[in-house]
Structures are given as C-alpha cells and as structure tokens.
C-alpha cells in the first residue's frame, strides 16, 4: 500500500511557503538593475507581459501536475516515460548547487547582523564605511585559480548557522517545519520591506533614484533583448523549472484552488520585486545626491546590500544605537529572505529522493546538509566567493535552468497534455482559465525560452575563458553525471 503523503495544513501556510520560496536575495538587486539597464520604466511593460504569459501559466502547470502525481520532479518526469526521469534529476541538481553558494551569501547577512549589534552597543563604528568590514569577510584573491589565497573564517563559521537552520526546518517536514516557519518568516519579511521602502522614499534625493528607475525609454521596447531579459527575470525570480513548485504542489490537497494560488504566488513575488526596486533606487538616489557618486558605484549585485545600505543607514540618523538596530533589522530581513528560499531548495531535492528511495526524511536531510556544507565551504574560500561563485551562478542559471524550463514545457505539452492540466486546475478554481493557457505554454513560453537558451549559448561560447570552462562547465558536467547516477538507480518505491 502506498505511503500517505503529507499535505499542507492551511492554504495560508502554503501560500506563505511558496511566496517565501520565490522571494530571495536576488530580488533585492537583480530586478532593480535589470530594469535600470533595460529601459527603466519601459522594462515594466515586457515584465508584466511576461508575468501573464509565462510565469502564471507555468506556475499553474507545476502546482497542478505536482498535485496530480503526488511527487517531486523525478516522479513527475518518470510518469511521462522512463527515459524522461533524467530530466527531473537534472532539475533538482540545480537547487543543490545553488544552495551551496547561496548559503555563503546568506552567511554574510548573518555576519552583518552581528556587526550591526556591535555597532549599536558602541563596540565598533563601521556603518559609514563598510568597505573594510566587507573586505575582512570576503578577503581577496588574484583570480579563480588562486585557491591558496585562504578561506573566510567568518563565512565558514556562520554558514554553519545557515545549514543548521535548513536542517532544523526541513527535517520536521511540510506542516511541522516549512509551513510553520513560513507563516512567520514571509509576513515578517514583507512588512519589514514595506517599512524600509517607506523610509527610503523619505530620504533626500530619493526622487532622483525613482526617476532613474521609472522614467521610460520607449525606444528600447522594440529591442528583442529587452523582452528576453524581462522573461528571464520573471522565470528565474519565481523559482520555476527547478523542482521547487512541483514539490510544493505535490503537498496541495485535492480541493484547493490552484489557479488563484498561482496568481497569488506570482504577483506576491512581483510585488516584492517592485518594492525592492523602489527601496534600492531611493536609497541609491540619496547616496548619489549626498556623496556625488554614480548609480553604479556600488555595483549591481551584493554590493548594493552590503555596502550601499549600511552607508545609507548611517546618513539617516547620527545616533549609533539606532543605526545599529536599523542595520540589524535590514540584515535580518535579508537572512529571512535567503533562508525561506534555501529551505524550499532543500525540499525540492529531498522530495524527489524520498519519492524513489526508502530513506527516512531526517536521515536524508542530515546527509544533504553535511554535503551542502562541504560545498559551501568551497565557496567560502576567497577565490570561491569573489570569483567562482559568479561563474557557477551564471552557468547554472543561463544554461541549466533555461534548458530545464524549455524541456518541461515541451514534454508536458507533448506527452501529458496541456488540456488535461487546464481542466484539472479549473475543477476547484473560482477563476477558470481558458484555451489561451494551452497556447501560451505550447508556443509562447517554449519560443521565448528557446531564444534565451540559444542567445546564452552564443554569448557564452564567444566569451569562453579557462575559468568558465573549468568551474562553469565543470559544474554542469558534475550535475549531468550525478543526475545520471540517480536516474540509473532502481526504484525502491511504487511509481503509481
């Protein structure tokens, strides 16, 4: 007799968990700078189109199919045919690799939380000049092959905290772990980000930043690269095609509204994108006005959070206690955003393994956590954090995730049938989706993802370096081999 699958205990808890999975540290800097580089306000038009034509339909597909087959990615693709199971394993390799380097970034947030408290208590005054602190944490290396440069004891120490958090939450299952924590994490995260947004627009010079972000350059709308960038942002931001939402869908009760849940997940995440954009560019506008620097002076990545925001906090008030407490709350916010995404990634892989093998959840999560920590330790090296991390991130995102999404939509349309997905999703949904759903997933999404994959491959091969070959394509090779090993293992549980 098949083992009963654990289910979400409340729809609110499920939505919070799904939104928490989609919202991550990347929202804070990737979306604002994608908009900034791609026409400002004009970027919002293709972005909104992408939400409706790609993100929502694919979210409905993953939720509904996961619920239908009551399994993670590997079982989902196995049900399409034995040879397609490998695609499922490739999908869930992504969150495992991403967790390894993502956890080091989360650990930096924890370090800055501690330093913010030290600032509040007057132990060290650093927020007006965070560069030395970041340099102390991240260190330096001459390049990706400078593996002898050393390892960050700060990152290595606090990445233990991150993996311990992952382990404690996920080992307790869906209702007892992920759902319970998400009911706290996600609302706290959203409330805190709204507070930071409101405060940021009150800063002197914020209007300059908002004009920079929202003033449209309509001449760029006709550029196909802008549309590819918008679809890529939406696709990656919503955590689709990496097994997370299929796994979460597999725990949805039979009579819940799939369509409404999909809209809520996608547009909650999109709201966070916009809130982050307003917060980041209001803050940068303040710094540009006050310091006379450019909008790209702090980079377009983690530097925005770990360099720009501490400086901004130091200009809001001269009271060091308030500076430290505000800084603590901000970096605690980043920690929550990172951990809520991290636990969903761990669950994605764990669900697929437990579907196929007879292994206890706690034992499995413990093994994954140990292996993941070892991987994170590699990214905690100075060369790993400053160079290899970006290479691996770009290759996994540009090649594996986009290709995985393309395969998913094509195989589902051809082998399972989009009409079946549509009818099943509509059964308990208040808002019924029409035939346009089939058209979008059969033609629009595959075409856009196909263009994205080809564009990324051309760009990648024309800018190939030894480091990209070794660390980027080397990581992809390891993922392919590992996926094949898991695929070749016999099923220990019933597939039905």
């Amino acid at each position: 007799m098949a083992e009963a699958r654990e289910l979400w205990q409340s729809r609110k808890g499920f939505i919070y968990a799904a939104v928490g999975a989609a919202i991550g540290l990347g929202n804070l800097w990737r979306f604002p700078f994608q908009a900034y580089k791609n026409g400002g306000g004009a970027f919002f038009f293709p972005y909104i189109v992408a939400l409706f034509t790609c993100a929502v339909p694919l979210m409905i597909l993953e939720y509904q199919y996961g619920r239908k087959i009551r399994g993670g990615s590997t079982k989902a693709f196995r049900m399409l045919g034995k040879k397609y199971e490998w695609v499922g394993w490739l999908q869930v390799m992504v969150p495992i690799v991403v967790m390894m380097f993502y956890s080091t970034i989360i650990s930096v947030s924890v370090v800055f939380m501690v330093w913010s408290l030290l600032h509040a208590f007057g132990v060290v005054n650093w927020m007006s000049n965070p560069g030395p602190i970041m340099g102390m944490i991240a260190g330096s290396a001459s390049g990706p092959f400078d593996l002898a440069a050393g390892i960050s004891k700060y990152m290595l120490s606090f990445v233990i905290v991150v993996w311990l958090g992952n382990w404690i939450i996920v080992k307790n299952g869906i209702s007892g772990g992920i759902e319970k924590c998400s009911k706290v994490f996600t609302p706290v995260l959203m409330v805190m980000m709204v507070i930071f947004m409101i405060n940021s627009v009150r800063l002197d010079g914020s209007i300059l930043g908002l004009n920079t972000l929202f003033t449209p350059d309509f001449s760029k709308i006709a550029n196909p690269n802008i549309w590819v960038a918008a679809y890529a942002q939406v696709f990656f931001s919503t955590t689709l095609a990496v097994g997370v939402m299929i796994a979460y869908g597999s725990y949805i009760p039979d009579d819940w509204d799939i369509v409404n849940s999909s809209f809520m997940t996608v547009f909650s995440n999109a709201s966070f994108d916009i809130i982050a954009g307003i917060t980041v560019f209001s803050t940068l506008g303040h710094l540009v006005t006050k310091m006379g620097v450019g909008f790209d002076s702090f980079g377009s990545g983690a530097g925005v959070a770990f360099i720009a925001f501490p400086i901004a906090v130091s200009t809001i008030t001269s009271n060091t206690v308030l500076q430290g407490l505000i800084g603590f709350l901000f970096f605690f916010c980043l920690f929550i955003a990172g951990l809520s995404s991290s636990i969903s990634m761990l669950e994605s892989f764990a669900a697929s393994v437990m579907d196929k093998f007879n292994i206890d959840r706690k034992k499995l999560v413990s093994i994954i956590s140990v292996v993941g920590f070892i991987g994170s330790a590699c990214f905690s090296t100075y060369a790993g954090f400053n160079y290899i991390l970006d290479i691996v991130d770009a290759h996994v995102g540009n090649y594996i995730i986009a290709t995985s999404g393309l395969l998913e939509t094509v195989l589902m349309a051809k082998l399972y049938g989009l009409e079946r997905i549509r009818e099943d999703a509509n059964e308990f949904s208040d808002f019924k989706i029409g035939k346009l759903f089939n058209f979008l997933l059969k033609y629009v999404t595959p075409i856009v993802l196909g263009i994205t994959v080809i564009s990324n491959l051309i760009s990648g091969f024309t800018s190939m370096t030894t480091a990209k070959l070794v660390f980027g394509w080397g990581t992809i090779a390891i993922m392919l081999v590992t996926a094949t090993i898991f695929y070749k293992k016999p099923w220990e549980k019933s597939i039905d």
Side-chain angles (χ1 to χ4, degrees):
M1 184 175 178
E3 181 182 343
R5 194 172 188 84
E6 187 178 7
L7 300 177
W8 302 105
Q9 295 301 300
S10 70
R11 188 158 175 250
K12 180 174 71 173
F14 157 63
I15 294 296
Y16 280 152
V19 171
I23 293 174
L25 297 179
N27 293 72
L28 190 67
W29 50 75
R30 193 179 194 278
F31 172 79
F33 282 92
Q34 282 295 309
Y36 174 54
K37 291 186 296 183
N38 292 293
F43 180 76
F44 285 86
F45 177 67
Y47 173 77
I48 292 170
V49 171
L51 289 176
F52 281 100
T53 61
C54 177
V56 172
L58 202 53
M59 189 69 71
I60 293 172
L61 183 152
E62 294 203 356
Y63 279 167
Q64 176 54 43
Y65 190 57
R67 178 170 72 175
K68 184 71 174 180
I69 57 97
R70 292 292 177 209
S73 266
T74 51
K75 183 177 179 181
F77 283 95
R78 172 67 181 231
M79 297 292 283
L80 298 178
K82 182 179 179 181
K83 61 184 176 181
Y84 301 116
E85 180 194 329
W86 182 85
V87 178
W89 285 112
L90 180 61
Q91 272 198 355
V92 297
M93 288 298 115
V94 173
I96 288 297
V97 173
V98 170
M99 282 182 72
M100 290 180 181
F101 64 76
Y102 194 64
S103 295
T104 62
I105 302 174
I106 302 172
S107 74
V108 176
S109 299
V110 182
V111 177
F112 271 71
M113 283 168 56
V114 174
W115 280 92
S116 293
L117 290 178
L118 293 176
H119 183 96
F121 293 129
V123 178
V124 59
N125 192 319
W126 64 275
M127 298 192 83
S128 61
N129 183 24
I133 299 296
M134 191 63 199
M136 178 185 70
I137 296 169
S140 63
S142 60
F145 292 102
D146 187 13
L147 302 179
I151 189 168
S152 171
K153 61 183 179 182
Y154 298 97
M155 263 188 277
L156 189 62
S157 299
F158 284 98
V159 86
I160 296 175
V161 175
V162 177
W163 277 104
L164 187 62
N166 288 328
W167 176 74
I168 290 172
I169 295 170
V170 180
K171 78 178 179 67
N172 286 315
I174 292 299
S175 59
I178 296 174
E179 182 175 353
K180 187 178 293 184
C181 290
S182 297
K183 283 182 177 179
V184 177
F185 282 0
T186 303
V188 167
L189 174 62
M190 294 298 289
V191 169
M192 289 176 69
M193 282 307 299
V194 169
I195 291 172
F196 277 112
M197 179 189 69
I198 293 171
N199 181 73
S200 68
V201 299
R202 296 172 56 249
L203 298 174
D204 293 335
S206 62
I207 193 67
L208 175 63
L210 294 175
N211 284 337
T212 301
L213 176 62
F214 289 111
T215 299
D217 180 359
F218 289 114
S219 64
K220 291 190 175 183
I221 282 192
N223 184 343
N225 290 331
I226 304 305
W227 288 82
V228 171
Y231 272 85
Q233 169 62 29
V234 165
F235 190 78
F236 299 135
S237 178
T238 45
T239 324
L240 292 164
V242 294
V244 171
M245 295 310 177
I246 292 179
Y248 275 20
S250 72
Y251 304 118
I252 298 176
D254 290 330
D255 58 350
W256 282 12
D257 188 328
I258 287 287
V259 176
N260 194 20
S261 298
S262 299
F263 272 95
M264 290 177 66
T265 304
V266 170
F267 286 101
S268 294
N269 180 67
S271 298
F272 192 86
D273 271 347
I274 295 171
I275 290 170
I278 293 172
T279 306
V280 167
F281 270 83
S282 295
T283 303
L284 292 180
H286 171 68
L287 293 178
V288 167
T289 302
K290 193 174 184 68
M291 301 173 65
V293 296
F295 278 95
D296 55 357
S297 299
F298 306 99
S300 58
V304 174
F306 299 123
I307 302 296
F309 271 88
I311 296 174
V313 168
S314 72
T315 65
I316 294 172
T317 175
S318 59
N319 187 307
T320 56
V321 174
L322 285 178
Q323 288 176 354
L325 293 178
I326 293 171
F328 174 83
L329 289 174
F330 175 74
F331 291 111
F332 178 65
C333 192
L334 293 190
F335 172 68
I336 289 177
L339 193 63
S340 62
S341 293
S342 186
I343 59 178
S344 72
M345 294 183 217
L346 203 164
E347 179 61 30
S348 171
F349 183 78
S352 289
V353 173
M354 290 187 294
D355 283 339
K356 185 169 185 175
F357 304 106
N358 287 313
I359 184 169
D360 176 69
R361 171 182 281 272
K362 292 183 179 180
K363 179 180 179 181
L364 173 62
V365 173
S366 298
I367 294 171
I368 297 172
S369 298
V370 171
V371 173
F373 170 73
I374 294 171
S376 294
C378 297
F379 287 105
S380 297
T381 62
Y382 296 144
F385 188 76
N386 290 292
Y387 293 98
I388 300 173
L389 188 155
D390 286 338
I391 295 172
V392 174
D393 182 24
H395 281 70
V396 172
N398 291 341
Y399 306 120
I400 298 297
I401 297 179
T403 303
S404 170
L406 177 61
L407 290 173
E408 178 179 306
T409 51
V410 171
L411 292 175
M412 287 299 298
K414 183 179 179 180
L415 300 175
Y416 186 79
L418 298 174
E419 183 62 19
R420 290 175 65 187
I421 293 287
R422 189 180 73 86
E423 290 177 354
D424 288 343
N426 279 338
E427 184 177 359
F428 294 101
S429 297
D430 294 328
F431 175 74
K432 311 297 183 183
I433 49 174
K435 297 277 188 178
L436 179 61
F437 170 83
N438 301 16
F439 175 80
L440 292 173
L441 286 180
K442 190 173 183 179
Y443 299 107
V444 177
T445 300
I447 289 173
V448 172
L449 289 177
I451 293 172
T452 302
V453 170
I454 293 171
S455 174
N456 289 340
L457 285 171
I458 293 173
S459 175
F461 283 117
T462 54
S463 61
M464 181 65 71
T465 64
T466 303
K468 290 179 180 178
L469 181 63
V470 172
F471 297 111
W473 287 101
T475 298
I476 290 175
I478 292 172
M479 293 170 69
L480 296 175
V481 170
T482 307
T484 303
I485 292 173
F486 276 102
Y487 164 66
K488 292 289 187 181
K489 296 285 185 180
W491 280 75
E492 297 175 1
K493 289 186 174 181
S494 172
I495 306 172
D496 298 327

